[in-house]
PDB file of all heavy atoms in Angstrom:
ATOM      1  N   THR A  36     196.556 160.922 152.810  1.00  0.00           N
ATOM      2  CA  THR A  36     197.128 159.838 153.610  1.00  0.00           C
ATOM      3  C   THR A  36     198.011 160.364 154.732  1.00  0.00           C
ATOM      4  O   THR A  36     197.957 159.874 155.861  1.00  0.00           O
ATOM      5  CB  THR A  36     197.953 158.879 152.710  1.00  0.00           C
ATOM      6  OG1 THR A  36     197.136 158.496 151.596  1.00  0.00           O
ATOM      7  CG2 THR A  36     198.364 157.628 153.455  1.00  0.00           C
ATOM      8  N   LEU A  37     198.823 161.391 154.426  1.00  0.00           N
ATOM      9  CA  LEU A  37     199.824 161.854 155.395  1.00  0.00           C
ATOM     10  C   LEU A  37     199.615 163.281 155.899  1.00  0.00           C
ATOM     11  O   LEU A  37     200.268 163.706 156.846  1.00  0.00           O
ATOM     12  CB  LEU A  37     201.226 161.726 154.791  1.00  0.00           C
ATOM     13  CG  LEU A  37     201.612 160.288 154.393  1.00  0.00           C
ATOM     14  CD1 LEU A  37     202.848 160.287 153.518  1.00  0.00           C
ATOM     15  CD2 LEU A  37     201.824 159.418 155.614  1.00  0.00           C
ATOM     16  N   GLY A  38     198.721 164.029 155.255  1.00  0.00           N
ATOM     17  CA  GLY A  38     198.434 165.392 155.708  1.00  0.00           C
ATOM     18  C   GLY A  38     199.013 166.461 154.795  1.00  0.00           C
ATOM     19  O   GLY A  38     200.059 166.264 154.177  1.00  0.00           O
ATOM     20  N   PHE A  39     198.339 167.597 154.725  1.00  0.00           N
ATOM     21  CA  PHE A  39     198.747 168.696 153.837  1.00  0.00           C
ATOM     22  C   PHE A  39     200.072 169.323 154.263  1.00  0.00           C
ATOM     23  O   PHE A  39     200.854 169.751 153.432  1.00  0.00           O
ATOM     24  CB  PHE A  39     197.655 169.778 153.789  1.00  0.00           C
ATOM     25  CG  PHE A  39     196.435 169.355 153.024  1.00  0.00           C
ATOM     26  CD1 PHE A  39     195.320 168.854 153.685  1.00  0.00           C
ATOM     27  CD2 PHE A  39     196.405 169.427 151.636  1.00  0.00           C
ATOM     28  CE1 PHE A  39     194.199 168.449 152.969  1.00  0.00           C
ATOM     29  CE2 PHE A  39     195.288 169.036 150.917  1.00  0.00           C
ATOM     30  CZ  PHE A  39     194.184 168.537 151.588  1.00  0.00           C
ATOM     31  N   LYS A  40     200.320 169.384 155.560  1.00  0.00           N
ATOM     32  CA  LYS A  40     201.547 170.000 156.062  1.00  0.00           C
ATOM     33  C   LYS A  40     202.725 169.036 155.928  1.00  0.00           C
ATOM     34  O   LYS A  40     203.850 169.434 155.621  1.00  0.00           O
ATOM     35  CB  LYS A  40     201.347 170.398 157.530  1.00  0.00           C
ATOM     36  CG  LYS A  40     202.574 170.961 158.223  1.00  0.00           C
ATOM     37  CD  LYS A  40     202.936 172.331 157.698  1.00  0.00           C
ATOM     38  CE  LYS A  40     204.077 172.941 158.509  1.00  0.00           C
ATOM     39  NZ  LYS A  40     204.604 174.165 157.886  1.00  0.00           N
ATOM     40  N   SER A  41     202.449 167.754 156.159  1.00  0.00           N
ATOM     41  CA  SER A  41     203.527 166.755 156.237  1.00  0.00           C
ATOM     42  C   SER A  41     204.260 166.531 154.916  1.00  0.00           C
ATOM     43  O   SER A  41     205.456 166.267 154.897  1.00  0.00           O
ATOM     44  CB  SER A  41     202.952 165.412 156.714  1.00  0.00           C
ATOM     45  OG  SER A  41     202.112 165.615 157.829  1.00  0.00           O
ATOM     46  N   ILE A  42     203.539 166.610 153.805  1.00  0.00           N
ATOM     47  CA  ILE A  42     204.138 166.310 152.497  1.00  0.00           C
ATOM     48  C   ILE A  42     204.822 167.547 151.910  1.00  0.00           C
ATOM     49  O   ILE A  42     204.210 168.599 151.792  1.00  0.00           O
ATOM     50  CB  ILE A  42     203.058 165.787 151.512  1.00  0.00           C
ATOM     51  CG1 ILE A  42     202.537 164.431 151.974  1.00  0.00           C
ATOM     52  CG2 ILE A  42     203.591 165.687 150.091  1.00  0.00           C
ATOM     53  CD1 ILE A  42     203.570 163.317 151.961  1.00  0.00           C
ATOM     54  N   THR A  43     206.092 167.400 151.539  1.00  0.00           N
ATOM     55  CA  THR A  43     206.829 168.506 150.912  1.00  0.00           C
ATOM     56  C   THR A  43     206.872 168.289 149.397  1.00  0.00           C
ATOM     57  O   THR A  43     206.562 167.196 148.907  1.00  0.00           O
ATOM     58  CB  THR A  43     208.278 168.563 151.444  1.00  0.00           C
ATOM     59  OG1 THR A  43     208.951 167.363 151.012  1.00  0.00           O
ATOM     60  CG2 THR A  43     208.316 168.658 152.963  1.00  0.00           C
ATOM     61  N   MET A  44     207.292 169.312 148.683  1.00  0.00           N
ATOM     62  CA  MET A  44     207.443 169.189 147.226  1.00  0.00           C
ATOM     63  C   MET A  44     208.541 168.165 146.900  1.00  0.00           C
ATOM     64  O   MET A  44     208.455 167.464 145.891  1.00  0.00           O
ATOM     65  CB  MET A  44     207.766 170.547 146.605  1.00  0.00           C
ATOM     66  CG  MET A  44     206.646 171.573 146.778  1.00  0.00           C
ATOM     67  SD  MET A  44     205.092 171.088 145.999  1.00  0.00           S
ATOM     68  CE  MET A  44     204.934 172.325 144.715  1.00  0.00           C
ATOM     69  N   ASP A  45     209.550 168.072 147.756  1.00  0.00           N
ATOM     70  CA  ASP A  45     210.602 167.054 147.570  1.00  0.00           C
ATOM     71  C   ASP A  45     210.025 165.648 147.680  1.00  0.00           C
ATOM     72  O   ASP A  45     210.351 164.768 146.884  1.00  0.00           O
ATOM     73  CB  ASP A  45     211.715 167.226 148.626  1.00  0.00           C
ATOM     74  CG  ASP A  45     212.627 168.398 148.305  1.00  0.00           C
ATOM     75  OD1 ASP A  45     213.070 168.500 147.149  1.00  0.00           O
ATOM     76  OD2 ASP A  45     212.882 169.212 149.209  1.00  0.00           O
ATOM     77  N   ASP A  46     209.164 165.447 148.686  1.00  0.00           N
ATOM     78  CA  ASP A  46     208.519 164.137 148.869  1.00  0.00           C
ATOM     79  C   ASP A  46     207.724 163.759 147.623  1.00  0.00           C
ATOM     80  O   ASP A  46     207.784 162.628 147.141  1.00  0.00           O
ATOM     81  CB  ASP A  46     207.542 164.158 150.065  1.00  0.00           C
ATOM     82  CG  ASP A  46     208.229 164.380 151.395  1.00  0.00           C
ATOM     83  OD1 ASP A  46     209.386 163.952 151.543  1.00  0.00           O
ATOM     84  OD2 ASP A  46     207.602 164.984 152.285  1.00  0.00           O
ATOM     85  N   LEU A  47     206.970 164.730 147.125  1.00  0.00           N
ATOM     86  CA  LEU A  47     206.125 164.487 145.955  1.00  0.00           C
ATOM     87  C   LEU A  47     206.963 164.153 144.726  1.00  0.00           C
ATOM     88  O   LEU A  47     206.659 163.191 143.998  1.00  0.00           O
ATOM     89  CB  LEU A  47     205.237 165.711 145.690  1.00  0.00           C
ATOM     90  CG  LEU A  47     204.263 165.614 144.524  1.00  0.00           C
ATOM     91  CD1 LEU A  47     203.311 164.441 144.664  1.00  0.00           C
ATOM     92  CD2 LEU A  47     203.469 166.925 144.386  1.00  0.00           C
ATOM     93  N   ALA A  48     208.037 164.926 144.515  1.00  0.00           N
ATOM     94  CA  ALA A  48     208.930 164.677 143.370  1.00  0.00           C
ATOM     95  C   ALA A  48     209.532 163.276 143.460  1.00  0.00           C
ATOM     96  O   ALA A  48     209.581 162.537 142.470  1.00  0.00           O
ATOM     97  CB  ALA A  48     210.039 165.731 143.335  1.00  0.00           C
ATOM     98  N   HIS A  49     209.942 162.903 144.682  1.00  0.00           N
ATOM     99  CA  HIS A  49     210.536 161.578 144.903  1.00  0.00           C
ATOM    100  C   HIS A  49     209.521 160.467 144.594  1.00  0.00           C
ATOM    101  O   HIS A  49     209.843 159.484 143.928  1.00  0.00           O
ATOM    102  CB  HIS A  49     211.031 161.471 146.352  1.00  0.00           C
ATOM    103  CG  HIS A  49     211.564 160.117 146.701  1.00  0.00           C
ATOM    104  ND1 HIS A  49     212.777 159.646 146.228  1.00  0.00           N
ATOM    105  CD2 HIS A  49     211.030 159.105 147.439  1.00  0.00           C
ATOM    106  CE1 HIS A  49     212.968 158.410 146.672  1.00  0.00           C
ATOM    107  NE2 HIS A  49     211.921 158.057 147.403  1.00  0.00           N
ATOM    108  N   GLU A  50     208.291 160.634 145.095  1.00  0.00           N
ATOM    109  CA  GLU A  50     207.228 159.629 144.885  1.00  0.00           C
ATOM    110  C   GLU A  50     206.903 159.453 143.401  1.00  0.00           C
ATOM    111  O   GLU A  50     206.614 158.351 142.942  1.00  0.00           O
ATOM    112  CB  GLU A  50     205.956 160.041 145.634  1.00  0.00           C
ATOM    113  CG  GLU A  50     205.988 159.794 147.122  1.00  0.00           C
ATOM    114  CD  GLU A  50     205.872 158.330 147.487  1.00  0.00           C
ATOM    115  OE1 GLU A  50     205.203 157.568 146.758  1.00  0.00           O
ATOM    116  OE2 GLU A  50     206.473 157.925 148.501  1.00  0.00           O
ATOM    117  N   LEU A  51     206.953 160.555 142.652  1.00  0.00           N
ATOM    118  CA  LEU A  51     206.627 160.505 141.223  1.00  0.00           C
ATOM    119  C   LEU A  51     207.824 160.151 140.347  1.00  0.00           C
ATOM    120  O   LEU A  51     207.671 159.869 139.156  1.00  0.00           O
ATOM    121  CB  LEU A  51     206.071 161.863 140.773  1.00  0.00           C
ATOM    122  CG  LEU A  51     204.625 162.172 141.202  1.00  0.00           C
ATOM    123  CD1 LEU A  51     204.342 163.664 141.097  1.00  0.00           C
ATOM    124  CD2 LEU A  51     203.627 161.396 140.361  1.00  0.00           C
ATOM    125  N   GLY A  52     209.024 160.204 140.941  1.00  0.00           N
ATOM    126  CA  GLY A  52     210.244 159.929 140.166  1.00  0.00           C
ATOM    127  C   GLY A  52     210.525 161.017 139.140  1.00  0.00           C
ATOM    128  O   GLY A  52     211.007 160.746 138.036  1.00  0.00           O
ATOM    129  N   ILE A  53     210.185 162.268 139.510  1.00  0.00           N
ATOM    130  CA  ILE A  53     210.448 163.402 138.621  1.00  0.00           C
ATOM    131  C   ILE A  53     211.186 164.490 139.416  1.00  0.00           C
ATOM    132  O   ILE A  53     211.332 164.375 140.635  1.00  0.00           O
ATOM    133  CB  ILE A  53     209.131 163.993 138.032  1.00  0.00           C
ATOM    134  CG1 ILE A  53     208.185 164.461 139.162  1.00  0.00           C
ATOM    135  CG2 ILE A  53     208.444 162.996 137.123  1.00  0.00           C
ATOM    136  CD1 ILE A  53     206.925 165.153 138.696  1.00  0.00           C
ATOM    137  N   SER A  54     211.620 165.537 138.742  1.00  0.00           N
ATOM    138  CA  SER A  54     212.301 166.629 139.440  1.00  0.00           C
ATOM    139  C   SER A  54     211.276 167.613 139.990  1.00  0.00           C
ATOM    140  O   SER A  54     210.156 167.704 139.493  1.00  0.00           O
ATOM    141  CB  SER A  54     213.255 167.351 138.496  1.00  0.00           C
ATOM    142  OG  SER A  54     212.497 168.077 137.536  1.00  0.00           O
ATOM    143  N   LYS A  55     211.710 168.360 141.018  1.00  0.00           N
ATOM    144  CA  LYS A  55     210.842 169.397 141.572  1.00  0.00           C
ATOM    145  C   LYS A  55     210.520 170.449 140.510  1.00  0.00           C
ATOM    146  O   LYS A  55     209.432 171.010 140.482  1.00  0.00           O
ATOM    147  CB  LYS A  55     211.532 170.075 142.770  1.00  0.00           C
ATOM    148  CG  LYS A  55     210.925 169.650 144.088  1.00  0.00           C
ATOM    149  CD  LYS A  55     211.226 170.536 145.278  1.00  0.00           C
ATOM    150  CE  LYS A  55     212.609 171.087 145.350  1.00  0.00           C
ATOM    151  NZ  LYS A  55     212.828 171.807 146.650  1.00  0.00           N
ATOM    152  N   LYS A  56     211.494 170.667 139.640  1.00  0.00           N
ATOM    153  CA  LYS A  56     211.330 171.670 138.578  1.00  0.00           C
ATOM    154  C   LYS A  56     210.112 171.330 137.705  1.00  0.00           C
ATOM    155  O   LYS A  56     209.354 172.213 137.294  1.00  0.00           O
ATOM    156  CB  LYS A  56     212.607 171.705 137.729  1.00  0.00           C
ATOM    157  CG  LYS A  56     212.657 172.871 136.750  1.00  0.00           C
ATOM    158  CD  LYS A  56     213.970 172.867 135.976  1.00  0.00           C
ATOM    159  CE  LYS A  56     213.949 173.926 134.898  1.00  0.00           C
ATOM    160  NZ  LYS A  56     215.132 173.871 134.036  1.00  0.00           N
ATOM    161  N   THR A  57     209.920 170.033 137.440  1.00  0.00           N
ATOM    162  CA  THR A  57     208.762 169.595 136.632  1.00  0.00           C
ATOM    163  C   THR A  57     207.456 169.956 137.335  1.00  0.00           C
ATOM    164  O   THR A  57     206.498 170.406 136.701  1.00  0.00           O
ATOM    165  CB  THR A  57     208.821 168.068 136.382  1.00  0.00           C
ATOM    166  OG1 THR A  57     210.084 167.751 135.808  1.00  0.00           O
ATOM    167  CG2 THR A  57     207.712 167.603 135.463  1.00  0.00           C
ATOM    168  N   ILE A  58     207.420 169.752 138.650  1.00  0.00           N
ATOM    169  CA  ILE A  58     206.206 170.096 139.413  1.00  0.00           C
ATOM    170  C   ILE A  58     205.944 171.598 139.317  1.00  0.00           C
ATOM    171  O   ILE A  58     204.821 172.033 139.079  1.00  0.00           O
ATOM    172  CB  ILE A  58     206.336 169.664 140.900  1.00  0.00           C
ATOM    173  CG1 ILE A  58     206.501 168.142 140.999  1.00  0.00           C
ATOM    174  CG2 ILE A  58     205.099 170.105 141.694  1.00  0.00           C
ATOM    175  CD1 ILE A  58     206.802 167.620 142.393  1.00  0.00           C
ATOM    176  N   TYR A  59     207.033 172.396 139.455  1.00  0.00           N
ATOM    177  CA  TYR A  59     206.879 173.854 139.446  1.00  0.00           C
ATOM    178  C   TYR A  59     206.500 174.413 138.068  1.00  0.00           C
ATOM    179  O   TYR A  59     206.038 175.549 137.974  1.00  0.00           O
ATOM    180  CB  TYR A  59     208.145 174.536 139.975  1.00  0.00           C
ATOM    181  CG  TYR A  59     208.278 174.445 141.486  1.00  0.00           C
ATOM    182  CD1 TYR A  59     209.368 173.822 142.073  1.00  0.00           C
ATOM    183  CD2 TYR A  59     207.296 174.984 142.317  1.00  0.00           C
ATOM    184  CE1 TYR A  59     209.487 173.734 143.460  1.00  0.00           C
ATOM    185  CE2 TYR A  59     207.408 174.905 143.698  1.00  0.00           C
ATOM    186  CZ  TYR A  59     208.501 174.280 144.271  1.00  0.00           C
ATOM    187  OH  TYR A  59     208.603 174.200 145.637  1.00  0.00           O
ATOM    188  N   THR A  60     206.675 173.631 137.024  1.00  0.00           N
ATOM    189  CA  THR A  60     206.206 174.106 135.706  1.00  0.00           C
ATOM    190  C   THR A  60     204.673 174.077 135.639  1.00  0.00           C
ATOM    191  O   THR A  60     204.058 174.776 134.848  1.00  0.00           O
ATOM    192  CB  THR A  60     206.778 173.269 134.535  1.00  0.00           C
ATOM    193  OG1 THR A  60     206.372 171.921 134.705  1.00  0.00           O
ATOM    194  CG2 THR A  60     208.279 173.374 134.446  1.00  0.00           C
ATOM    195  N   HIS A  61     204.058 173.231 136.497  1.00  0.00           N
ATOM    196  CA  HIS A  61     202.592 173.109 136.510  1.00  0.00           C
ATOM    197  C   HIS A  61     201.944 173.847 137.681  1.00  0.00           C
ATOM    198  O   HIS A  61     200.787 174.272 137.597  1.00  0.00           O
ATOM    199  CB  HIS A  61     202.189 171.638 136.555  1.00  0.00           C
ATOM    200  CG  HIS A  61     202.618 170.856 135.357  1.00  0.00           C
ATOM    201  ND1 HIS A  61     201.982 170.949 134.133  1.00  0.00           N
ATOM    202  CD2 HIS A  61     203.640 169.977 135.178  1.00  0.00           C
ATOM    203  CE1 HIS A  61     202.583 170.151 133.257  1.00  0.00           C
ATOM    204  NE2 HIS A  61     203.594 169.555 133.868  1.00  0.00           N
ATOM    205  N   PHE A  62     202.673 173.968 138.788  1.00  0.00           N
ATOM    206  CA  PHE A  62     202.137 174.616 140.000  1.00  0.00           C
ATOM    207  C   PHE A  62     203.203 175.567 140.540  1.00  0.00           C
ATOM    208  O   PHE A  62     204.293 175.116 140.901  1.00  0.00           O
ATOM    209  CB  PHE A  62     201.788 173.561 141.062  1.00  0.00           C
ATOM    210  CG  PHE A  62     200.862 172.490 140.566  1.00  0.00           C
ATOM    211  CD1 PHE A  62     201.364 171.282 140.080  1.00  0.00           C
ATOM    212  CD2 PHE A  62     199.480 172.679 140.564  1.00  0.00           C
ATOM    213  CE1 PHE A  62     200.523 170.293 139.608  1.00  0.00           C
ATOM    214  CE2 PHE A  62     198.625 171.689 140.086  1.00  0.00           C
ATOM    215  CZ  PHE A  62     199.146 170.495 139.608  1.00  0.00           C
ATOM    216  N   GLU A  63     202.875 176.864 140.622  1.00  0.00           N
ATOM    217  CA  GLU A  63     203.919 177.844 140.974  1.00  0.00           C
ATOM    218  C   GLU A  63     204.460 177.668 142.389  1.00  0.00           C
ATOM    219  O   GLU A  63     205.604 178.000 142.667  1.00  0.00           O
ATOM    220  CB  GLU A  63     203.412 179.274 140.765  1.00  0.00           C
ATOM    221  CG  GLU A  63     202.158 179.619 141.549  1.00  0.00           C
ATOM    222  CD  GLU A  63     201.569 180.966 141.149  1.00  0.00           C
ATOM    223  OE1 GLU A  63     202.026 181.976 141.691  1.00  0.00           O
ATOM    224  OE2 GLU A  63     200.661 180.974 140.298  1.00  0.00           O
ATOM    225  N   ASN A  64     203.655 177.115 143.312  1.00  0.00           N
ATOM    226  CA  ASN A  64     204.129 176.859 144.673  1.00  0.00           C
ATOM    227  C   ASN A  64     203.236 175.807 145.329  1.00  0.00           C
ATOM    228  O   ASN A  64     202.254 175.355 144.730  1.00  0.00           O
ATOM    229  CB  ASN A  64     204.147 178.161 145.502  1.00  0.00           C
ATOM    230  CG  ASN A  64     202.805 178.889 145.453  1.00  0.00           C
ATOM    231  OD1 ASN A  64     201.745 178.268 145.541  1.00  0.00           O
ATOM    232  ND2 ASN A  64     202.848 180.208 145.272  1.00  0.00           N
ATOM    233  N   LYS A  65     203.568 175.437 146.561  1.00  0.00           N
ATOM    234  CA  LYS A  65     202.816 174.380 147.239  1.00  0.00           C
ATOM    235  C   LYS A  65     201.379 174.813 147.528  1.00  0.00           C
ATOM    236  O   LYS A  65     200.446 174.002 147.428  1.00  0.00           O
ATOM    237  CB  LYS A  65     203.511 173.966 148.538  1.00  0.00           C
ATOM    238  CG  LYS A  65     202.844 172.742 149.169  1.00  0.00           C
ATOM    239  CD  LYS A  65     203.488 172.314 150.466  1.00  0.00           C
ATOM    240  CE  LYS A  65     202.653 171.249 151.146  1.00  0.00           C
ATOM    241  NZ  LYS A  65     203.168 170.878 152.465  1.00  0.00           N
TER     242      LYS A  65
END
Side-chain angles (χ1 to χ4, degrees):
T36 309
L37 300 167
F39 288 97
K40 176 70 174 170
S41 313
I42 293 295
T43 65
M44 296 299 246
D45 284 312
D46 295 329
L47 182 58
H49 176 73
E50 283 287 328
L51 285 162
I53 59 175
S54 70
K55 254 198 321 187
K56 190 178 173 186
T57 306
I58 298 173
Y59 284 120
T60 60
H61 297 284
F62 306 95
E63 58 189 275
N64 52 42
K65 187 181 171 185

